[in-house]
Amino acid sequence: SRQAHQAVGYVAEKLVTIPNGYDVEAFKPDAVSRALIRAELDVREDMTVIGMVARAHPQKDYPNLLRAARVILRERRDVCFVLCGQYVTWENEELTAWIEPADRAQFRLLGQREDIPRVMAAFDVATLSSFGEAFPNVISEAMSCGVPCVVTDVGDAALIVGETGIVVPSRDSIGLAEGWLRILDLGKEGRTRLGLAARERIKDLYNVSNFVGRYEALYEMTSRKLKPV
């Protein structure tokens, strides 16, 4: 965003960048929600859930995700994909045409939900398949829930995950599938450790409580400059 503003003529020396902040108490690991959501969706505990929260929009590149899912499901049938967002439903024929009939039992399409922290708590891996983003909130939110992430290298996604997740090229379904497999191959304990490291990264770098003072300082500085003499 800062680079985009500079490119259209904003003065670099006057720009102040404050990242998005997240409520790490609203988005947190939640064993109860995990069990309840998985029961609601009829997902066995021995299944590994790869989840994405994103509306059905071309930029989110669901075809990329669903092509990668085909690759995974050729090798493993213990994986379930939980996809959540506006228009992400079985009634969306443009979307579901990318899902092989034999694979439909491996998918849960939830549409738009109002309980995203609970849904994310049920993920084992969170993912982002987009070819364009700015600062994708859903990645930080999933990390805050203790879920390791595999993301495409768009916007600030790589900056957000750091060393606690995997970054792959956009529009590369094979690369995306390989990223998922790397996380799946860590096993439950390995994923838990990586997820907790991801949560600590959000707490350290993007905790909303850390930014309140920065906004206050910015407003105070601006008001002093604008105050009439």
Side-chain angles (χ1 to χ4, degrees), residues 199-207 210:
R199 175 168 169 78
E200 289 304 310
R201 181 172 177 82
I202 297 302
K203 288 169 67 176
D204 290 344
L205 300 180
Y206 302 113
N207 189 335
N210 296 340

Side-chain angles (χ1 to χ4, degrees), residues 16 40 46 115 123 133 203 220:
V16 176
E40 173 192 335
D46 63 346
D115 58 345
F123 294 172
E133 291 284 347
K203 288 169 67 176
E220 182 178 352

Side-chain angles (χ1 to χ4, degrees), residues 3-151:
Q3 293 169 353
H5 279 76
Q6 287 179 225
V8 297
Y10 283 76
V11 179
E13 292 75 19
K14 293 184 178 181
L15 295 177
V16 176
T17 304
I18 301 176
N20 291 352
Y22 302 90
D23 184 345
V24 297
E25 293 307 314
F27 290 89
K28 61 184 179 181
D30 184 343
V32 173
S33 290
R34 173 185 170 88
L36 290 174
I37 291 292
R38 289 170 75 104
E40 173 192 335
L41 302 180
D42 192 24
V43 176
R44 302 189 316 270
E45 187 53 37
D46 63 346
M47 297 286 283
T48 305
V49 170
I50 298 174
M52 185 165 83
V53 177
R55 70 192 188 281
H57 183 278
Q59 187 169 286
K60 303 301 181 182
D61 206 355
Y62 269 99
N64 179 33
L65 181 143
L66 295 171
R67 285 193 297 268
R70 290 180 191 174
V71 175
I72 291 287
L73 293 173
R74 289 192 202 112
E75 299 183 27
R76 303 181 57 146
R77 304 302 288 184
D78 62 339
V79 177
C80 178
F81 290 87
V82 174
L83 310 178
C84 176
Q86 189 178 32
Y87 309 124
V88 182
T89 67
W90 290 107
E91 288 71 35
N92 184 340
E93 295 180 1
E94 184 178 356
L95 175 71
T96 58
W98 291 93
I99 302 175
E100 297 283 356
D103 292 339
R104 289 196 165 208
Q106 310 301 124
F107 287 87
R108 307 291 186 270
L109 307 186
L110 309 188
Q112 189 165 331
R113 297 276 296 225
E114 302 300 325
D115 58 345
I116 296 302
R118 296 179 66 246
V119 173
M120 285 182 167
F123 294 172
D124 295 294
V125 183
T127 197
L128 182 73
S129 59
S130 302
F131 58 73
E133 291 284 347
F135 193 98
N137 291 324
V138 292
I139 294 305
S140 299
E141 291 166 351
M143 290 169 63
S144 188
C145 290
V147 181
C149 296
V150 178
V151 302

